[in-house]
Amino acid sequence: MALLVKLSRGYHRFNSTGTSFAFSRRLFSNGSRVLCTNSEQSQAVFFPPLQKVMLPPNSFVGKVAFITGGGTGLGKGMTSALSSLGAQCFIASRKLDVLKETAEEISTKTGNKVHAVQCDVREPSSVEAAVKQMISIAGLPSVVINNAAGNFISPTERLSPNAWKTITDIVLNGTAYVTLEIGKELIKAKKGAAFLSITTPYAETGSGFVVPSSSAKAGVEALSKSLSAEWGRYGLRFNVIQSGPIKTKGAFSRLDPSGKFENIMTDRLPTGRLGTVEEIANLASYLCSDYASWISGAVIRFDGGNYVSIAGEFNELRKVTKEEWNVMEAMIRKTKGS
């Protein structure tokens, strides 16, 4: 015999022992109107984002940084942080006009030179030319951030071979081409450096509807951990940040084009809010700095608790009110036997 109890958000079904349940939740009502309408949960007040640079000034003075996808979004944020800390930055992507605009903006703000380098990470010859350009201007880098990415939501059965190839060429092959091209030059020059790749928690778990991205980013994590073990002897460190939901125009236009799912994502985050570009820039700066010289082969989840919130079988019970707990506790206390 089962008991169906209406709770504050959906229904819980209890069996005769009162200890097992199945939870279902309606996301939509009256057509496409989303039930979750709060952009931030109340607990977000306990987790305010700090928007200032964390490390001491001049932490990267004398260092060169190469950042792919540095013209927009997370890459632009990480470049801004590194430049403000004294690094000479090279930002690389296919769109040179966007890169030049970003480079001028950041250079004006920080007083440190940011160079725009056109580079299609999918093409080894383009990567080689970009690296040569950097070396001719400033020498080999101390920091390499593989941030270039491509992603969009789609039922996997709708994907063409070209769609699959496009994502994996940017994310996995692009990261490999940049890492190998710069890594080999660093090894020849006997120069140490810190490499950082930006992935996502679903590289670890897998996820439907973003299967090419999930597969490619899992490969990036394997590459990073493998080279950490093999190339540490050359003074090279490799780390990964698994970035959770951080709202940027480029990413959200492909992953949440209708805008329906932002509130749903926020609702399930224990911290009650999305992340910010400044926060991931601070973490990236730390991992690439001398303060983190003993961190290598690490994969750091940066997602406001999203991973553990989804993973726990009973985590939906956080939506049960105090009064509802009183009812259920009374039911459980009456249970006899196993």
Side-chain angles (χ1 to χ4, degrees), residues 23-286:
F23 178 85
S24 64
R25 182 182 176 195
R26 294 174 61 200
L27 296 178
F28 302 102
S29 178
N30 297 327
S32 62
R33 184 175 65 85
V34 181
L35 288 181
C36 305
T37 57
N38 293 329
S39 60
E40 288 190 341
Q41 299 299 304
S42 59
Q43 70 268 29
V45 69
F46 296 107
F47 306 100
L50 291 179
Q51 307 291 69
K52 59 184 180 181
V53 174
M54 176 179 71
L55 292 181
N58 303 324
S59 293
F60 285 85
V61 167
K63 295 191 176 185
V64 174
F66 185 85
I67 303 103
T68 66
T72 60
L74 301 185
K76 181 179 179 180
M78 290 184 283
T79 301
S80 296
L82 291 170
S83 180
S84 72
L85 292 167
Q88 184 176 181
C89 296
F90 288 77
I91 53 177
S93 78
R94 288 177 295 161
K95 298 180 179 179
L96 188 58
D97 55 338
V98 174
L99 289 175
K100 287 182 176 179
E101 183 179 335
T102 296
E104 178 64 26
E105 177 187 335
I106 296 175
S107 295
T108 301
K109 185 191 308 180
T110 66
N112 294 314
K113 182 64 176 177
V114 177
H115 305 267
V117 180
Q118 191 167 31
C119 177
D120 185 346
V121 297
R122 300 172 298 179
E123 299 293 337
S125 59
S126 181
V127 172
E128 182 182 4
V131 172
K132 283 183 177 178
Q133 182 179 346
M134 172 183 58
I135 292 173
S136 68
I137 296 171
L140 285 164
S142 301
V143 173
V144 180
I145 300 180
N146 284 299
N147 171 70
N151 196 9
F152 57 88
I153 53 172
S154 174
T156 306
E157 67 270 21
R158 294 191 180 194
L159 292 175
S160 67
N162 186 60
W164 179 276
K165 187 176 186 299
T166 297
I167 301 303
T168 54
D169 273 353
I170 296 171
V171 177
L172 178 54
N173 293 339
T175 297
Y177 296 152
V178 169
T179 300
L180 295 176
E181 182 66 32
I182 296 178
K184 290 175 182 178
E185 294 296 326
L186 288 166
I187 291 169
K188 283 193 294 185
K190 297 182 178 180
K191 175 180 171 61
F195 288 74
L196 177 67
S197 292
I198 309 301
T199 66
T200 177
Y202 63 69
E204 182 177 344
T205 63
S207 176
F209 305 100
V210 284
V211 172
S213 170
S214 177
S215 302
K217 287 181 180 291
V220 168
E221 293 191 0
L223 172 69
S224 179
K225 289 182 281 190
S226 299
L227 289 179
S228 175
E230 182 180 349
W231 281 3
R233 56 185 170 157
Y234 300 125
L236 305 180
R237 296 192 295 117
F238 296 84
N239 292 298
V240 173
I241 296 175
Q242 292 182 340
S243 175
I246 296 175
K247 190 170 184 177
T248 61
K249 181 179 179 181
F252 268 53
S253 65
R254 297 177 182 88
L255 300 178
D256 187 18
S258 67
K260 291 178 179 179
F261 301 110
E262 180 179 342
N263 288 333
I264 297 171
M265 285 189 290
T266 305
D267 182 51
R268 75 183 182 209
L269 287 167
T271 51
R273 65 171 176 84
L274 302 180
T276 69
V277 172
E278 291 80 6
E279 287 174 300
I280 196 170
N282 268 327
L283 178 57
S285 298
Y286 168 71

Side-chain angles (χ1 to χ4, degrees), residues 320-338:
V320 177
T321 67
K322 181 179 178 181
E323 291 73 20
E324 291 160 353
W325 274 118
N326 291 338
V327 172
M328 291 191 292
E329 183 179 347
M331 294 169 63
I332 293 169
R333 287 182 180 275
K334 292 177 180 178
T335 302
K336 304 297 181 182
S338 58

